[in-house]
Amino acid sequence: MMNYLNTYRRYACDIGRINEEAKTNAEALVNLTEELYTHDLRWIVEQVLKSEGHHHVILLSGPSSSGKTTTSKKLCDEFMKHGIDVQLISMDNFYLGEDYVKRLPNGKPDFESVEALDIPLIKESIDKLSTTGECVIPVYDFSRSCRSDKTRTVKLGKDSVIVMEGIHALNPIFSAGQSKAKVMKIYTAVKQGIKNNEDYVLTNREIRFIRRLVRDYHFRKVDPEYMISMWDTVVEGEKKYIRPFRYTSDFTINSIHIYEPCVLKSLAIPILESISASNMNYDFACRISEALDRFETIDSSLVPENSLLREFIGGGCYSY
């Protein structure tokens, strides 16, 4: 059933206002944005703890580069402030591996499909955690695109909370058979783009693209031309496997940080400018670069260590 009361914080995402604040009071702009985001997470935790039956499983989903990982970690921080034992589980550890994933028509592995995950093992893990409070989960090796030999044992106390995050976490295949009194769903995404009057400077999807470009280049050693070539596949996967379930969430979080283009520009523009003029995505790269160049620059040193943006620019207090 759709949750018609589900809403999220909306910002005044106008480039003129953002640039004015970036020029005159950048630190205040950053701090206010961070405070509002943390406030939204704190409010959700309070609602979970007040809910009848006390939800033990939190399923958190969102499209690529929406900040799921940091959001889940910050949610865990808020639960712990209430004295609640919380365990974080990433669904990424349940990937089957490149050799077991179906191929797209172009021959590339379809990692966006829910079938790229070990569905039976995820359901079994949720069941065991709900009944016995203990399970063993795999550890995925992204450097080799396969499951590693390592495992992790998760043990819960009586009033523990599990936060399970992943792009497919809201798919009903994982919550089927689970008591609604025990499961709560959260959807996080960049819900707004940034405009100049009525025209978009950057769409919400393009903001996520910039985040992913910077992160994958600097921390995953992904060739930028390859990353750009895969972006349409990622987006198509989101349309098929993620967006259809976003309205089933109990809460929606708008993960845009309105100052972020001011920080990301200095990292993203050099990457975009490295795209060869002969590349089929050259015009797209130029357009994004030109859009970023319209923003005032904010030094990354102003970004707090626990900010969601640190997931993409590095230097944060969380491990990824």
Side-chain angles (χ1 to χ4, degrees), residues 66-78:
S66 57
K68 295 182 297 297
T69 304
T70 304
T71 299
S72 62
K73 289 176 183 291
K74 290 174 75 71
L75 279 171
C76 289
D77 288 346
E78 294 301 323

Side-chain angles (χ1 to χ4, degrees), residues 101-113:
V101 176
K102 291 182 179 178
R103 298 281 165 169
L104 296 164
N106 60 11
K108 295 177 181 177
D110 187 8
F111 283 116
E112 307 307 314
S113 168

Side-chain angles (χ1 to χ4, degrees), residues 136-139 147-153:
V136 177
I137 63 174
V139 176
R147 191 173 290 176
S148 74
D149 296 330
K150 299 178 181 178
T151 59
R152 173 190 165 201
T153 300

